[in-house]
Amino acid sequence: MKFAIYLHYKDNVATLLDEVCLGDLVIVKDLKGEDLVVLQVEESMPHGYKIALQEIEAKTYLVKYGEIIGRANRLIRKGSMVHIHNLDSLRGGFKDV
Amino acid sequence: MYNINTQIRVFRRANGSIGIRNHILVISTVACANFVASSIAARVPGAVACTHPYGCDQIGESADLTLRVLTNIGQNANVAAVLVVGLGCEQISAEYLAKKISLSKKQTKVVTIQEEGGTTKSIARGITYCNYMKSKMSQGRVIASLNKLIVGIECGGSDYTSGIAANPAVGAVVDFLVSLGVRVLFGETTEIIGAEHILVKRATSIKVKKFILGKVQKIEEMAKKMKVDIRGSNPSPGNIHGGISSIEEKSLGAICKIGKSLIVDGIEFADKPKMSGLSFMDTPGNDLACTCGLVAGGANMILFTTGRGTPMGFSIAPVLKITANKDVAYKMAENIDINLSSIILGKMSINNAGKIILDKIIAVAEDEKVKAEKLGHQEFGFHSIGPTL
């Protein structure tokens, strides 16, 4: 079985603990290994990458650790990868995003 | 298992501080003295050289920073005796640096290359001085309270495992050490951007809160002024490859390593903590510069979490490598002291991981060598905050 973990109940992304291929079913669990949900991944990804736990509209905050880690720059479908291509950092830039 | 009464075997210095190593430090005041300093250290067993490209042609804050780093590195309690090697015409005079270091009541000697008459004579004189100081220095360990230790914490080469496992495990250790009254230092100002709102809630005074916010603001303003995007360097390509997508995400993972402890003070780079408990030091995110700042601040050892793996050690303090990435633990086994990948696999709790780290801290404090020491790593380096003229 393949697993992903989410760190806070507010999170809309989870971190993959295993490498996945398009169409794989992933068990998403919390830190205690409880509260399981099953999710189908929309693309192949290495372990450690993030997947969307729900459909995320463009301009919506991306949340991990219960905190904002950036903003979606496009619609992100449930089960697809969340990374630098669709997540804009809100900090440390010289232009406002 | 460990408590307020726990004692460890360490070196006690004349000023009351405790060291966990007994180094003779050969320190250069300026780049022109680096070769002589390294040559002396290479010929004296137990000696280590700290060389750098600064010490001359620096002004203002930059010159102050160099002097403060070299002084406080020399004063670190892991160092038993110091030989200062200078050229003779540089800004930071060797005599002055040695005098400042000796305020910590340790032995110091000076070799000035222009006075000795060149490389060969200076090396010979330096070796004689080191051997003399070695014959005078205390070689035995004594019992001291665990809470006399100063511990630095740092993360480098982070990936997704850092924020989930290795940093929370170190955080549990920090919470425990702080409860005993140990002085714990953390830095990496760049890597609190996006997480500072959490840190300021833990600040014990308005002063500390303002210090943290001010330092973060300074970095972001600098980026804006230079029309650069810190996102070009942080998260680094390796962080991104390891699953980290933004500086906010990296920072939120990084601050897990301070646990839930309150932040009692904010101090400048390379300054010494004045209070027991957890202090924040303004340092670059750069691993070597941060380590140098924490050790200059008095840290006896560094707990260093990594996801991508890094071999870096430090000249006068053990750098203990902790990873929760199973591939790195396997591939870079010779560099990794503690493998916590079982946490990711759901087979180890954060608290158990904390106990493993604590056992290792005690063993390393009492002379067990970390991997970086066994491999001979003796890095030293820091940054300049202004131009070299």
Side-chain angles (χ1 to χ4, degrees):
Chain A
M1 266 332 280
K2 305 210 161 161
F3 290 97
I5 189 166
Y6 72 96
L7 307 171
H8 192 276
Y9 73 94
K10 287 184 188 163
D11 292 2
N12 54 13
V13 299
T15 303
L16 286 167
L17 302 180
D18 297 290
E19 189 175 343
V20 293
C21 294
L22 169 70
D24 276 354
L25 290 177
V26 171
I27 298 177
V28 184
K29 55 184 184 178
D30 68 8
L31 274 171
K32 289 178 187 149
E34 295 164 358
D35 199 20
L36 310 178
V37 285
V38 177
L39 196 75
Q40 188 164 31
V41 297
E42 293 286 317
E43 53 198 301
S44 301
M45 283 170 264
H47 64 92
Y49 280 50
K50 292 177 290 298
I51 49 169
L53 288 174
Q54 62 210 49
E55 185 164 290
I56 299 168
E57 302 265 353
K59 302 284 174 199
T60 310
Y61 288 135
L62 292 153
V63 179
K64 179 183 169 187
Y65 303 102
E67 300 285 341
I68 297 164
I69 60 164
R71 191 159 53 197
N73 61 20
R74 63 190 77 166
L75 175 77
I76 304 174
R77 289 176 63 193
K78 183 175 174 177
S80 54
M81 185 197 293
V82 176
H83 206 9
I84 51 171
H85 61 294
N86 54 11
L87 177 153
D88 285 336
S89 168
L90 303 172
R91 301 292 301 275
F94 70 96
K95 278 185 217 151
D96 288 326
V97 179
Chain B
M1 180 154 77
Y2 303 112
N3 56 44
I4 193 96
N5 299 317
T6 301
Q7 296 193 310
I8 48 173
R9 291 168 48 252
V10 295
F11 299 98
R12 190 181 294 283
R13 303 299 171 207
N15 67 351
S17 59
I18 66 158
I20 63 171
R21 296 293 182 266
N22 213 25
H23 293 296
I24 296 178
L25 174 61
V26 184
I27 199 163
S28 62
T29 55
V30 63
C32 319
N34 284 354
F35 177 76
V36 169
S38 305
S39 302
I40 294 166
R43 287 167 176 78
V44 179
V48 57
C50 284
T51 62
H52 56 88
Y54 309 120
C56 209
D57 309 303
Q58 291 187 296
I59 47 166
E61 269 187 84
S62 272
D64 295 345
L65 181 130
T66 301
L67 180 62
R68 186 163 76 242
V69 170
L70 299 182
T71 303
N72 289 359
I73 283 287
Q75 290 190 352
N76 183 296
N78 287 357
V79 173
V82 183
L83 175 71
V84 181
V85 183
L87 175 60
C89 55
E90 66 276 28
Q91 213 171 356
I92 293 184
S93 113
E95 289 287 349
Y96 182 64
L97 179 61
K99 210 168 164 184
K100 287 197 68 125
I101 292 171
S102 63
L103 292 175
S104 64
K105 297 185 182 166
K106 67 181 67 169
Q107 305 184 74
T108 59
K109 288 278 181 194
V110 173
V111 169
T112 305
I113 299 168
Q114 288 168 349
E115 279 173 26
E116 292 297 333
T119 303
T120 313
K121 286 177 182 166
S122 300
I123 294 172
R125 175 79 72 184
I127 294 169
T128 307
Y129 281 161
C130 284
N131 285 327
Y132 171 77
M133 290 193 289
K134 207 169 160 184
S135 71
K136 295 267 179 191
M137 72 194 210
S138 118
Q139 299 288 348
R141 285 180 179 255
V142 296
I143 295 290
S145 174
L146 170 62
N147 69 11
K148 294 263 190 232
L149 264 188
I150 305 179
V151 177
I153 53 169
E154 194 180 342
C155 51
S158 298
D159 75 352
Y160 75 98
T161 62
S162 306
I164 297 177
N167 286 341
V170 167
V173 172
V174 168
D175 288 341
F176 179 73
L177 292 175
V178 163
S179 77
L180 299 186
V182 173
R183 278 167 288 175
V184 180
L185 292 172
F186 79 105
E188 301 172 281
T189 311
T190 326
E191 286 149 34
I192 61 175
I193 295 176
E196 67 272 40
H197 59 291
I198 298 169
L199 296 193
V200 295
K201 281 185 211 152
R202 311 234 189 106
T204 56
S205 71
I206 304 279
K207 198 176 140 229
V208 176
K209 186 175 167 174
K210 281 187 176 161
F211 183 87
I212 293 170
L213 292 176
K215 294 300 181 187
V216 168
Q217 198 183 1
K218 206 170 155 189
I219 293 180
E220 287 195 299
E221 274 170 7
M222 182 187 71
K224 279 201 174 104
K225 208 163 126 191
M226 292 169 71
K227 296 197 184 331
V228 293
D229 196 327
I230 69 153
R231 284 167 282 201
S233 80
N234 211 335
S236 70
N239 297 147
I240 292 170
H241 196 67
I244 295 173
S245 309
S246 67
I247 184 66
E248 299 93 307
E249 183 183 5
K250 184 173 170 177
S251 297
L252 290 161
I255 63 153
C256 294
K257 69 183 182 291
I258 63 165
K260 300 201 166 15
S261 294
L262 297 175
I263 304 167
V264 294
D265 205 3
I267 58 178
E268 297 293 342
F269 185 81
D271 263 350
K272 295 176 185 173
K274 296 175 282 292
M275 297 155 87
S276 69
L278 179 68
S279 294
F280 164 67
M281 180 188 287
D282 178 34
T283 81
N286 176 282
D287 292 344
L288 186 54
C290 175
T291 302
C292 188
L294 301 179
V295 175
N300 297 108
M301 75 167 80
I302 304 290
L303 305 182
F304 192 116
T305 62
T306 182
R308 308 287 294 171
T310 164
M312 197 199 78
F314 196 73
S315 46
I316 60 164
V319 181
L320 209 160
K321 296 286 163 37
I322 302 163
T323 192
N325 182 314
K326 63 178 190 306
D327 299 338
V328 170
Y330 175 74
K331 212 171 158 186
M332 288 183 65
E334 69 168 7
N335 300 108
I336 301 296
D337 294 285
I338 300 179
N339 172 5
L340 299 181
S341 55
S342 301
I343 298 177
I344 301 285
L345 303 172
K347 290 176 182 158
M348 186 193 285
S349 72
I350 296 290
N351 280 341
N352 279 340
K355 281 177 194 146
I356 292 169
I357 298 171
L358 264 174
D359 284 340
K360 194 73 173 178
I361 291 173
I362 306 287
V364 169
E366 296 196 323
D367 208 27
E368 184 183 302
K369 300 284 181 276
V370 298
K371 295 280 179 77
E373 288 176 296
K374 284 180 191 161
L375 289 164
H377 280 273
Q378 292 188 332
E379 284 84 341
F380 178 76
F382 55 98
H383 58 299
S384 175
I385 45 179
T388 296
L389 303 177

